[in-house]
Amino acid sequence: MGRPPRHTADDFLDAAVRLFAAEGAAGVTMSAVAREVGAPSGSIYHRFPGRPALLAAVWFRTLTSFQQGYLEALEQEPPLEAAIEAAAQIVRWCRAHPAEGKLLYQGNRALGVDDWNDEDRARADEANRRLDAAITKIVRRLRPLTGQSTDELMLALVDLPYAAVRRHLDRGEAPPPRTVDLVARTTRTLLSGSG
């Protein structure tokens, strides 16, 4: 019976996220991740067959973490409150996970999705479809309630919260706590005209 591995897949993924936050995708090499973990270079290949698989795993773990709370927020009732909660959830999640937030808003293109294997690209497409379907559903519910266009609703639902967190994440810091309330209030104003 062999001894248990010293480093888990999550250890390597955590290191990859830290490197991405500090250096961008170019800094996330197999040897750099192994070095960050304090593992021999070859040990990372026991978990991930190559850099594309590592980057795909980082993306899916990040996206799954984000989408869980975001998709739940979009399903709430009434639709206006769901939209406000979803916008605030973006900020809350980025406050709790600033390095992953930076990775998320740069998207899977920054992680070389075109180099991923067919299965991982299909998983990415499915995750995007799931998110697009949820946003399309809330927009359809909000249009008759607000009288606003899809573009106006997308500004409140997506563009505003990402703009509010991006400048903080770009500086390597979590958005301040007040950003959650600021985004919620501004989203409410944009969607309903009330403060």
Side-chain angles (χ1 to χ4, degrees):
M1 183 156 131
R3 64 176 197 225
R6 280 186 55 205
H7 305 287
T8 67
D10 279 328
D11 293 336
F12 291 113
L13 295 177
D14 291 342
V17 168
R18 288 191 302 273
L19 288 167
F20 183 93
E23 303 174 32
V28 185
T29 65
M30 299 296 272
S31 59
V33 171
R35 194 169 39 253
E36 176 77 11
V37 171
S41 290
S43 66
I44 191 170
Y45 289 96
H46 293 289
R47 301 280 183 211
F48 307 98
R51 186 171 183 265
L54 171 68
L55 294 175
V58 167
W59 176 253
F60 291 123
R61 188 181 74 164
T62 301
L63 189 64
T64 300
S65 171
F66 169 75
Q67 282 189 353
Q68 181 178 357
Y70 186 70
L71 295 175
E72 287 173 7
L74 287 174
E75 290 294 324
Q76 294 180 11
E77 292 292 339
L80 180 64
E81 296 306 317
I84 294 163
E85 177 57 27
Q89 177 61 24
I90 292 171
V91 180
R92 275 192 215 100
W93 188 85
C94 288
R95 279 189 41 70
H97 310 278
E100 288 91 341
K102 186 173 184 177
L103 187 148
L104 187 67
Y105 80 68
Q106 290 196 12
N108 61 19
R109 291 254 172 250
L111 297 174
V113 65
D114 293 335
D115 297 328
W116 298 357
N117 66 34
D118 291 343
E119 181 182 332
D120 286 338
R121 281 197 311 273
R123 284 180 63 203
D125 289 343
E126 177 56 33
N128 288 337
R129 280 192 292 276
R130 192 169 44 251
L131 183 60
D132 289 346
I135 291 173
T136 298
K137 181 179 175 184
I138 192 75
V139 165
R140 284 185 183 144
R141 295 170 70 206
L142 288 169
R143 269 197 311 248
L145 295 174
T146 65
Q148 295 179 358
S149 70
T150 297
D151 286 341
E152 291 169 315
L153 294 170
M154 291 299 287
L155 175 71
L157 282 168
V158 178
D159 301 333
L160 168 68
Y162 278 113
V165 299
R166 184 174 188 159
R167 64 189 167 98
H168 301 288
L169 299 177
D170 279 343
R171 290 192 302 248
E173 61 192 35
R178 67 182 176 276
T179 310
V180 176
D181 182 57
L182 177 63
V183 165
R185 283 187 292 113
T186 306
T187 301
R188 182 179 300 280
T189 299
L190 287 172
L191 295 179
S192 67
S194 63

